[in-house]
Amino acid sequence: MARRKGCLIGCGVALVIGIAGAVALAFGLTKVVDAANKTMIDPAAYAALQVGDAEDAVRAKLPSGDSFMKEALKAGGPAEPAGSTCSWFVNGDGESAGETVYRLCFKDGKLAEKVQYPLK
């Protein structure tokens, strides 16, 4: 009888751990998808932006760009212009999604620089 109780307790603990693992996995996947959505833009939208455009107008056309992936997107890119604030995005088209990084830098309320480079 004691052996049977031990087995039931062990199975119950394993079940709880399995459910917790599945919940953690689902939460992690949700965060990754959310981060991707915050950083993806269409190449045509990037191409339509012009240096000198007002920062507010440019940012209104884009997702937030705020993501834990920011540091990874910075890797391999050129140095940021002095005194500017930059945002990083990835190619969001279906064919080559995520292969290209788009960096937009703003200074004095205007788009000061736009650069694209391959994701490292």
Side-chain angles (χ1 to χ4, degrees), residues 65-77:
D66 293 330
S67 160
F68 64 87
M69 298 178 359
K70 181 177 174 180
E71 292 304 316
L73 297 177
K74 283 182 174 184

Side-chain angles (χ1 to χ4, degrees), residues 85-104:
T85 302
C86 300
S87 295
W88 289 261
F89 303 92
V90 291
N91 180 345
D93 76 357
E95 216 169 278
S96 57
E99 294 178 7
T100 303
V101 176
Y102 300 121
R103 185 184 77 193
L104 302 173

Side-chain angles (χ1 to χ4, degrees), residues 51-52 78-81 86 103-106 110-115:
V51 171
E80 298 171 43
C86 300
R103 185 184 77 193
L104 302 173
C105 297
F106 302 94
K110 301 211 179 284
L111 178 60
E113 179 184 72
K114 57 186 255 188
V115 175

Side-chain angles (χ1 to χ4, degrees), residues 25-57:
L25 179 63
F27 179 75
L29 288 174
T30 302
K31 287 295 182 186
V32 169
V33 169
D34 185 45
N37 287 338
K38 289 180 179 179
T39 60
M40 293 185 108
I41 61 171
D42 186 80
Y46 172 80
L49 302 174
Q50 300 296 319
V51 171
D53 287 351
E55 180 175 359
D56 292 342

